[in-house]
Amino acid sequence: MNGLMLQKQLLISSLIVHADRHHGDTEIVSRRVEGDIHRYTFRDCHRRARQMANALTSLGIRPSDRVGTLAWNGYRHMELYYGISGMGAVMHTINPRLHADQIAYIVDHAEDQVLFFDLTFLPLVKTIAGRCKTVKAFVAMTDRAHMPLDTGIANLLCYEDLLERSSSTYVWPNFDEDTACALCYTSGTTGNPKGVLYSHRSSLLHTFAAALPDALNCSARDVILPVVPMFHVNAWGIPYVACMVGAKLVFPGPGLDGQALYELVEAEQVTFAAGVPTVWQGLLTWLEQGGLNFSTLKRTVIGGAACPPAMLHTFQDGYGVEVLHAWGMTELSPLGTIGALKARHLALGPEDRCALQSKQGRAVFGVDMKILGENGQELPWDGVSSGDLLVRGPWVVRNYFRNEGGNPLRIDADAHGWFPTGDIATIDADGFMQITDRSKDVIKSGGEWISSIEIENLAAAHPAIASAACIAAKHMKWDERPLLVAVKQPGAQVTAEELLAFFEGKIAKWWTPDAVVFVDAVPLGATGKVLKNQLREAFQDYLLPT
Ligand code: ADP
């Protein structure tokens, strides 16, 4: 027997309609590429998103067509989020930090029909425009006064011109909630980037879960600063969450340095910010150097890479900002786990609490996880046994766009499909998952695993170290041994011996790296993660006799 409740499709457009109707005068503030601060409201955003839907229609965009964006976090990008998906087309956010050849490949693979871009990326667009065979129009996200001249790009349009000549009368169409709404390619550190195609339903369900108190905990009383880019995994869903709960949004645009972020946090009274550890490092350095403090910031969610306990400690104990450590991936829309404490953890002492919060956290409702041992057997949730992490749920990828790379799922004995994350993890009795490594970055010494993340976290806690990466180096006797590649704080002095002595008593002796190499900088990928494959290439023979 079916239930007798109304059927209403879960559609992206419903979010902006809700935000307009119930929070119409709530602000969206953006630092613009043009240099100034722009402010308007959800009502304005909704009106311009409707104009955008009409503009796209006039450009020949039809449902299911892909429309690319190369843009920072800002109000025009937000209008595209709703204009493109709302009309039934697919918003394809492109990571501008990828190599130009990869971007050209992605645009071609996605068959983007129109490509919107911020002026920052004009040089990039110039180099790839000739190779983007499917793109019928390029749109510079600016006004007439800032339009670049003599670009050599055929069919270059101006965003504000396009909106100006489009009516704001538009009724969002109703369609099947399983329709695709957005496309995001993984960074592709190995092989070609693979496209993850989100649906309206998966995105809406993800939004409900992300807003929950033990997830991002967002409300109409919040002012949210998403520093995580809208060009990668939809800024962790924050542009959707803000509409659902009616929170004020503050977009940093291209200003991602410590000073620019701090000024925005203070000026707009930000209560909640989201970003990867590398971005927060810059902000914390700025505060420390200037002897500054936060006056309104209450919470920050840190993810995308492991949050070093030292950073967690500085935020919480130094500045009174609660840290939520989260884990996810492009294939998970991206939220999988988040480190919100349970009632019994509130009584923990500062060190135990910090240790728990350094784990990647508990699964949000909707995400099932399990860890498997080397023979595929399911491992206990004892906080010690570590194995391959698999997940499933309504916002987990089922297949990559155009079947790239084949079916990624592993089918279990009950015929359920599980997505292998490529991460190695433990899960404790409270359900807190902890990533010990990426499977491809694992260090296997004498047949036993060493957690590179744990070693990196410890190194980052040394006052003279700015950042560190631990990699597997080939070894005559043990096959592999850990090698620490470290970057010193500006002006700081520390020797390899001093750094290694710092590990004493903190980890098993045989986990201690065999050597330390100091470098000026570690290579970072397009999403701010250390490119360990490059470090391995450079240093994998370091421990071998020459
Ligand atoms: P990419 O496109 O580079 O794969 P993703 O954002 O999809 O970018 O990266 C997902 C991966 O990032 C995860 O599989 C995991 O290895 C790593 N990751 C994400 N969050 C965390 C975290 N909090 N701690 C450790 N690793 C993380």
Side-chain angles (χ1 to χ4, degrees):
M1 190 193 294
N2 283 344
L4 292 172
M5 310 309 281
L6 277 175
Q7 281 277 350
K8 186 172 186 291
Q9 302 302 306
L10 300 173
L11 299 179
I12 295 288
S13 55
S14 65
L15 292 168
I16 192 73
V17 168
H18 175 85
D20 178 346
R21 189 171 300 145
H22 299 278
H23 309 279
D25 57 358
T26 296
E27 276 186 311
I28 299 176
V29 179
S30 312
R31 190 188 290 282
R32 294 207 288 188
V33 174
E34 291 92 336
D36 56 348
I37 299 282
H38 171 274
R39 52 181 74 237
Y40 73 172
T41 64
F42 276 125
R43 185 157 300 131
D44 299 321
C45 179
H46 186 204
R47 187 187 67 251
R48 283 168 53 96
R50 294 196 305 271
Q51 284 175 280
M52 181 46 68
N54 279 325
L56 290 167
T57 309
S58 73
L59 291 176
I61 296 298
R62 291 190 314 257
S64 297
D65 281 347
R66 270 76 66 201
V67 177
T69 66
L70 269 170
W72 300 110
N73 293 7
Y75 68 104
R76 293 190 181 111
H77 208 174
M78 180 85 168
E79 292 157 7
L80 291 168
Y81 262 56
Y82 286 98
I84 299 170
S85 302
M87 71 173 294
V90 179
M91 175 193 56
H92 172 206
T93 53
I94 305 168
N95 187 338
R97 297 199 184 109
L98 293 173
H99 189 274
D101 290 341
Q102 269 186 331
I103 295 180
Y105 167 86
I106 288 175
V107 170
D108 191 52
H109 190 265
E111 299 179 334
D112 289 335
Q113 303 290 306
V114 176
L115 185 61
F116 287 83
F117 65 95
D118 267 333
L119 286 180
T120 319
F121 308 118
L122 178 64
L124 171 65
V125 173
K126 277 186 187 168
T127 48
I128 62 166
R131 283 183 274 169
C132 299
K133 299 278 178 290
T134 57
V135 176
K136 293 186 285 224
F138 294 87
V139 186
M141 293 163 68
T142 189
D143 53 21
R144 174 99 335 247
H146 292 87
M147 272 306 275
L149 302 170
D150 304 327
T151 60
I153 301 171
N155 209 3
L156 178 67
L157 304 175
C158 166
Y159 188 97
E160 291 300 332
D161 278 0
L162 205 56
L163 280 202
E164 209 169 284
R165 55 172 195 256
S166 304
S167 158
S168 62
T169 305
Y170 184 88
V171 179
W172 298 113
N174 192 27
F175 44 77
D176 184 348
E177 64 189 17
D178 281 324
T179 303
C181 68
L183 176 64
C184 179
Y185 282 72
T186 62
S187 310
T189 37
T190 51
N192 276 331
K194 296 197 279 282
V196 181
L197 188 62
Y198 309 113
S199 71
H200 286 255
R201 173 188 158 81
S202 72
S203 302
L204 260 277
L205 293 176
H206 180 269
T207 309
F208 278 114
L212 284 173
D214 272 0
L216 303 185
N217 187 16
C218 293
S219 79
R221 294 163 303 285
D222 272 311
V223 180
I224 310 181
L225 173 77
V227 184
V228 287
M230 290 167 81
F231 58 67
H232 192 61
V233 220
N234 308 328
W236 299 350
I238 289 173
Y240 302 137
V241 169
C243 281
M244 182 175 275
V245 304
K248 172 177 165 182
L249 268 174
V250 180
F251 287 129
L256 304 179
D257 58 290
Q259 178 178 4
L261 290 175
Y262 179 73
E263 285 172 5
L264 214 48
V265 167
E266 290 303 303
E268 298 304 327
Q269 308 201 309
V270 169
T271 60
F272 174 56
V276 297
T278 39
V279 163
W280 290 151
Q281 195 53 57
L283 179 63
L284 290 178
T285 305
W286 178 255
L287 266 103
E288 202 173 308
Q289 284 172 349
L292 304 166
N293 237 314
F294 292 117
S295 46
T296 55
L297 191 66
K298 290 199 204 82
R299 304 184 315 286
T300 169
V301 56
I302 304 182
C307 169
M311 177 175 284
L312 213 148
H313 172 72
T314 307
F315 262 118
Q316 294 195 153
D317 305 316
Y319 297 106
V321 176
E322 183 194 356
V323 171
L324 292 163
H325 189 194
W327 166 86
M329 49 199 312
T330 311
E331 287 90 337
L332 266 84
S333 308
L335 196 54
T337 63
I338 195 152
L341 301 178
K342 294 181 174 179
R344 69 165 150 279
H345 300 137
L346 299 178
L348 289 175
E351 263 184 37
D352 288 342
R353 190 178 160 147
C354 182
L356 184 63
Q357 287 182 292
S358 298
K359 295 187 175 193
Q360 277 70 13
R362 297 183 278 128
V364 294
F365 172 80
V367 173
D368 284 347
M369 2 178 236
K370 63 178 178 181
I371 39 175
L372 300 183
E374 284 196 39
N375 304 318
Q377 79 282 19
E378 203 165 333
L379 298 175
W381 290 23
D382 57 10
V384 183
S385 313
S386 76
D388 288 316
L389 176 67
L390 282 79
V391 293
R392 62 176 183 183
W395 55 82
V396 176
V397 72
R398 182 175 73 217
N399 218 330
Y400 290 105
F401 185 50
R402 298 173 63 185
N403 205 22
E404 196 63 53
N407 185 348
L409 298 188
R410 271 200 235 159
I411 310 299
D412 69 10
D414 296 328
H416 296 301
W418 290 79
F419 175 72
T421 62
D423 286 324
I424 310 289
T426 62
I427 306 177
D428 69 18
D430 277 321
F432 277 73
M433 184 273 286
Q434 181 162 30
I435 305 266
T436 54
D437 251 307
R438 255 338 250 167
S439 54
K440 57 183 191 291
D441 294 334
V442 118
I443 304 168
K444 215 163 183 189
S445 176
E448 297 284 342
W449 285 352
I450 296 176
S451 165
S452 65
I453 293 184
E454 191 159 341
I455 294 170
E456 288 156 8
N457 283 344
L458 277 174
H462 191 287
I465 297 300
S467 62
C470 188
I471 56 161
K474 287 185 201 152
H475 192 275
M476 296 284 280
K477 179 169 177 199
W478 302 108
D479 291 333
E480 289 176 357
R481 288 291 302 155
L483 175 71
L484 191 67
V485 183
V487 182
K488 291 182 199 170
Q489 291 281 11
Q493 295 294 329
V494 62
T495 64
E497 292 69 33
E498 284 162 357
L499 187 53
L500 292 177
F502 186 69
F503 287 101
E504 255 176 58
K506 300 192 176 91
I507 44 170
K509 226 178 167 49
W510 65 277
W511 275 34
T512 308
D514 278 23
V516 181
V517 187
F518 289 106
V519 294
D520 291 337
V522 286
L524 295 182
T527 52
K529 285 186 246 282
V530 177
L531 293 174
K532 288 197 181 173
N533 51 345
Q534 282 192 14
L535 289 177
R536 274 195 298 271
E537 261 168 45
F539 296 112
Q540 63 180 353
D541 294 338
Y542 192 87
L543 302 177
L544 294 180
T546 47

